[in-house]
Amino acid sequence: MKKLISLTFIFVLGLYLIGFAQDEEASEPLSISGSVDTYWKYDFSGNANQPTWFGTDQSSVSLGMVNVVLSQTVGKATFVGDLAFGPRGDGSGDSSGAATAPGSIQNLYVAYSLSDVVTITGGFMGTFIGYEVISPTANFNYSGSYLFSNGPFQNAGIKADFAISDKVGLMVGLFSSQWDSYTADPTEGMDNIGTQLSLAPVDGWDVYLNYITGSKFAQWDITTGYQISDPFYIGLNVSENTKYDLDETGFFGIAGYVQYAVSDVTSFGVRYETFDDKDDAKYSSITFSANIKAGPLTIIPEFRMDSSDMDSFIDSKEVNTDKFSQFALAAVYSF
């Protein structure tokens, strides 16, 4: 397996160098983009109950992250370097094993288009699993779902994308056994096989059928979104993870999204989720969010209510309870 990976890397590198020499003049300018976000959140119990990824600070003006994305295409070759500085990024990306590091790598990869149909990509990439992503600019809701919080966030490896038609795409890849890390477990290496079938049955409707499996876990995932009309959008994520660790069994969840734009400036949306942590409790959550835009700035007021089949939270009297509610106000600036 190691020899196969080495030969594949050498082959792709050779194609990259040949393509770079041939297409050196067909260069796009370096692109710099990203975002800055901050938030205030208050749990009505007076406690920090939210168990999902990021945004757990209570009654304080808190940092999100500074996200800087560099990318460029020269001929058939492309690179992307995506760096984050702040708690939102440190909670997901690889910080060389240190969760308190000042910065984290969200994406760092190179890609080469062998043809209009086939593209090879290698490096550290945002995962193809799931609906939500790390960047706040690509999510309608500011807080994260249970499905998103349980990952993966990123996969390191090499993949091939096939643009079969305008309506059908296929990805097949070999990934690291470790989630959210750009270094593999040396005893297991690159033993995860992942695939994605993407479909566009009609204009405005996208469907992604995802699967990844290896020595530590297997996970299937369905992600879909349909722009019914200019103002009206619905989305759905269904996923199940099976872990092979004797101490953990995995999870299953369903999250639904509905959004409606009342104008070019203001949109309203709701996310409902049910999540079964097979090692712990079952949760349900409903989140109401608004997106109010002022140029590159988006203000996100958000009200969230969660419940559990166990007393997983703490109420205002410091007594265990099965539910909580909170309000958050976030500001996201994109550039």
Side-chain angles (χ1 to χ4, degrees):
M1 179 61 73
K2 291 182 179 179
K3 291 182 178 179
L4 176 60
I5 295 174
S6 298
L7 290 172
T8 302
F9 176 77
I10 293 171
F11 174 71
V12 173
L13 180 61
L15 289 173
Y16 173 85
L17 293 174
I18 294 171
F20 185 86
Q22 292 177 343
D23 302 313
E24 190 172 9
E25 294 181 358
S27 174
E28 296 180 2
L30 178 68
S31 171
I32 303 175
S33 61
S35 65
V36 175
D37 65 296
T38 184
Y39 73 97
W40 172 82
K41 191 208 78 180
Y42 186 78
D43 189 304
F44 294 104
S45 71
N47 298 288
N49 276 308
Q50 182 185 314
T52 57
W53 167 84
F54 182 69
T56 57
D57 293 350
Q58 166 66 5
S59 191
S60 69
V61 175
S62 299
L63 301 178
M65 68 179 185
V66 178
N67 185 206
V68 180
V69 184
L70 306 176
S71 64
Q72 186 178 39
T73 297
V74 178
K76 297 181 179 181
T78 299
F79 91 88
V80 173
D82 182 351
L83 304 177
F85 303 87
R88 187 182 185 99
D90 292 343
S92 58
D94 192 307
S95 300
S96 301
T100 58
S104 63
I105 297 173
Q106 305 296 313
N107 288 277
L108 201 165
Y109 60 83
V110 295
Y112 186 84
S113 297
L114 299 178
S115 68
D116 293 338
V117 176
V118 184
T119 299
I120 304 294
T121 304
F124 188 56
M125 299 161 278
T127 185
F128 58 96
I129 298 288
Y131 182 95
E132 298 179 20
V133 298
I134 297 167
S135 171
T137 62
N139 297 322
F140 191 90
N141 306 103
Y142 189 72
S143 64
S145 68
Y146 286 88
L147 274 175
F148 175 65
S149 302
N150 280 270
F153 294 111
Q154 291 110 343
N155 302 107
I158 185 169
K159 66 176 184 175
D161 287 281
F162 302 90
I164 298 173
S165 71
D166 292 340
K167 296 183 179 296
V168 180
L170 177 67
M171 183 278 293
V172 179
L174 184 65
F175 301 99
S176 168
S177 59
Q178 297 194 140
W179 284 4
D180 313 330
S181 174
Y182 45 75
T183 57
D185 185 326
T187 62
E188 296 168 341
M190 309 290 291
D191 73 342
N192 278 351
I193 298 174
T195 185
Q196 178 183 81
L197 178 64
S198 57
L199 306 169
V202 298
D203 289 344
W205 184 20
D206 296 311
V207 182
Y208 301 92
L209 307 177
N210 309 309
Y211 185 72
I212 187 169
T213 184
S215 59
K216 294 185 176 181
F217 72 96
Q219 184 169 346
W220 62 263
D221 177 272
I222 301 172
T223 300
T224 183
Y226 185 29
Q227 192 73 48
I228 296 175
S229 63
D230 288 343
F232 190 29
Y233 171 86
I234 59 173
L236 179 69
N237 185 204
V238 184
S239 192
E240 182 172 32
N241 176 284
T242 302
K243 295 184 178 178
Y244 303 139
D245 189 321
L246 294 178
D247 296 329
E248 298 181 86
T249 56
F251 57 81
F252 173 78
I254 302 174
Y257 305 79
V258 179
Q259 294 149 24
Y260 190 84
V262 296
S263 70
D264 292 338
V265 173
T266 305
S267 300
F268 295 96
V270 60
R271 174 185 65 204
Y272 177 77
E273 180 181 23
T274 177
F275 181 84
D276 182 4
D277 183 341
K278 298 177 182 178
D279 305 305
D280 187 19
K282 294 180 180 179
Y283 300 89
S284 62
S285 175
I286 186 166
T287 304
F288 300 94
S289 304
N291 281 197
I292 304 167
K293 297 184 180 298
L297 178 65
T298 301
I299 304 298
I300 308 175
E302 183 169 284
F303 178 69
R304 174 172 176 159
M305 298 181 291
D306 287 35
S307 62
S308 169
D309 66 346
M310 300 174 64
D311 290 338
S312 305
F313 313 116
I314 301 174
D315 67 15
S316 59
K317 298 178 180 179
E318 302 298 322
V319 176
N320 289 340
T321 182
D322 62 352
K323 57 183 174 294
F324 77 87
S325 59
Q326 66 181 36
F327 176 78
L329 184 64
V332 180
Y333 186 98
S334 60
F335 58 88

